[in-house]
Amino acid sequence: MDRMFRVLGFWTGIFAVMFYLGDMKEMSLLFFAQTVFFVFLSYLKLSERMYIYIFGAYLTVFFVGFTYWTTFMMVPGQGGH
């Protein structure tokens, strides 16, 4: 399970670099922070159950934040097309 968190760290790192190259600095910093978080967790040698609990908590925080952002912060009709 610890290797899967390294894989998550790898992919969030790839996304962070792509966001940085696309001049999306805030999103890049967010993904770099997630990369550090996932790689740090992968070296803690926790039990598989604890890794699942941490991932579940991570998904919960993401979905709450995403729902808040899309409901209250995004302006309808500003897709750019």
Side-chain angles (χ1 to χ4, degrees), residues 5 8-10 12-13 16 29-43:
F5 272 80
L8 284 169
F10 170 78
T12 54
L29 289 174
L30 178 65
F31 271 77
F32 276 127
Q34 289 181 33
T35 300
V36 170
F37 174 71
F38 285 138
V39 172
F40 171 74
L41 280 177
S42 72
Y43 287 106

Side-chain angles (χ1 to χ4, degrees), residues 38-53:
F38 285 138
V39 172
F40 171 74
L41 280 177
S42 72
Y43 287 106
L44 289 181
K45 300 292 185 195
L46 301 172
S47 67
E48 188 168 345
R49 178 178 289 187
M50 194 64 200
Y51 279 122
I52 294 295
Y53 286 155

Side-chain angles (χ1 to χ4, degrees), residues 5 10-11 14 18 23 26 36-37 45 71 73 76 79:
F5 272 80
F10 170 78
W11 283 111
I14 294 295
M18 292 297 169
D23 290 329
E26 295 85 5
V36 170
F37 174 71
K45 300 292 185 195
T71 303
M73 303 300 283

Side-chain angles (χ1 to χ4, degrees), residues 1-33:
M1 186 58 74
D2 55 344
R3 289 183 182 180
M4 286 312 299
F5 272 80
R6 286 188 204 122
V7 170
L8 284 169
F10 170 78
W11 283 111
T12 54
I14 294 295
F15 274 84
V17 169
M18 292 297 169
F19 282 131
Y20 181 77
L21 292 175
D23 290 329
M24 301 173 79
K25 305 289 191 240
E26 295 85 5
M27 190 65 73
S28 172
L29 289 174
L30 178 65
F31 271 77
F32 276 127

